[in-house]
Amino acid sequence: MSNDTIMAFCKPQPVVAVEDTYWGYLIRSHKGESFGFIMLQSASLVLGMVCLVMALGVVTLTPLMFGVALTPFRMAVVALLGVVAAYLLWFASRGTRTEIHIDTSIREIHEVIRNRAGRPTILGTHDFAKITEILIHRDDANGTALLVLQGNDTVLSICIAMASAPRLDVLHDRLARDVMSDPRAS
């Protein structure tokens, strides 16, 4: 996999912060949120509200305007609109701030996204044993580097951070010590 391919999959994260916790540490980027993703979530919010209003309209307005009780077909439409509205509203509330949690107590890596209220949603969990390489891909043209965890299968590739190379060297060493070390050796 070339550096350009990996750089294309990871959005630039200019400022990286590592926060220690009792179970390990988390890696946060303090970058601006992606405009496209914010627009997608905004559209999901609007469409979810439209589906919700339509479902409520079928339930309340149909009997009032036409004097007809809810038929099984109308109840199915209400249920379908309700499910679509619930999914779209859930997606709109997920958030856009990404984090990587390195849980050294149970030896797992969690890919997490936080919403505006701070509530996390786990996107993926990976065992330390699946990680075979920790790589730094340097881009000399603009002075940044990309820190990537890769597994023995070609599918597992976790973009940790993009920052200046010296800052990532420290994080690389810490990840190598925690993730790649053998737990039976201590």
Side-chain angles (χ1 to χ4, degrees), residues 13-31:
Q13 301 173 3
V15 180
V16 176
V18 177
E19 183 179 320
D20 290 317
T21 62
Y22 68 92
W23 43 261
Y25 51 97
L26 54 98
I27 303 168
R28 278 194 187 120
S29 66
H30 299 285
K31 66 172 180 69

Side-chain angles (χ1 to χ4, degrees), residues 44-56:
S44 294
L45 178 65
V46 170
L47 287 175
M49 294 301 290
V50 166
C51 287
L52 190 61
V53 167
M54 286 172 50
L56 290 174

